[in-house]
Amino acid sequence: MNAETPPFVTFTTGAQFLIDEGVVESITPDGLRYIARTAKNWPFGDQPGRHPYVMIGNARTMETGVFLAFFKDGPPRGGRGPNKS
């Protein structure tokens, strides 16, 4: 992270941030939302031991350092795989 790193990201800005930082090759905001719903170790939310979302307007934001650390530690990556239909 550098001096231009935002203190908080949304699902939309977070997706682009991960790409810009070279953490993932590609990811969409909906892909991030899917991970947030399904990853048992997702670090944000209302449950005990999780970092709270910070609401700005109607957007849920996440502290960038925690967000980036989660993805650098190895959550699911690489998309859904090849189309098998």
Side-chain angles (χ1 to χ4, degrees):
M1 294 189 338
N2 59 46
E4 295 181 14
T5 300
F8 294 93
V9 294
T10 64
F11 287 100
T12 300
T13 62
Q16 188 61 51
F17 181 74
L18 291 174
I19 295 167
D20 293 346
E21 291 291 309
V23 177
V24 296
E25 195 171 303
S26 69
I27 192 164
T28 65
D30 284 338
L32 282 180
R33 289 180 188 97
Y34 177 80
I35 292 169
R37 286 191 309 271
T38 60
K40 294 186 187 318
N41 63 337
W42 181 248
F44 299 98
D46 296 331
Q47 296 86 352
R50 294 191 179 189
H51 299 270
Y53 289 108
V54 176
M55 297 302 294
I56 297 179
N58 63 354
R60 287 182 283 172
T61 68
M62 300 159 279
E63 195 274 312
T64 305
V66 174
F67 177 81
L68 186 58
F70 174 79
F71 282 92
K72 284 188 172 182
D73 286 343
R77 290 193 183 106
R80 63 185 182 105
N83 186 350
K84 295 181 180 177
S85 58

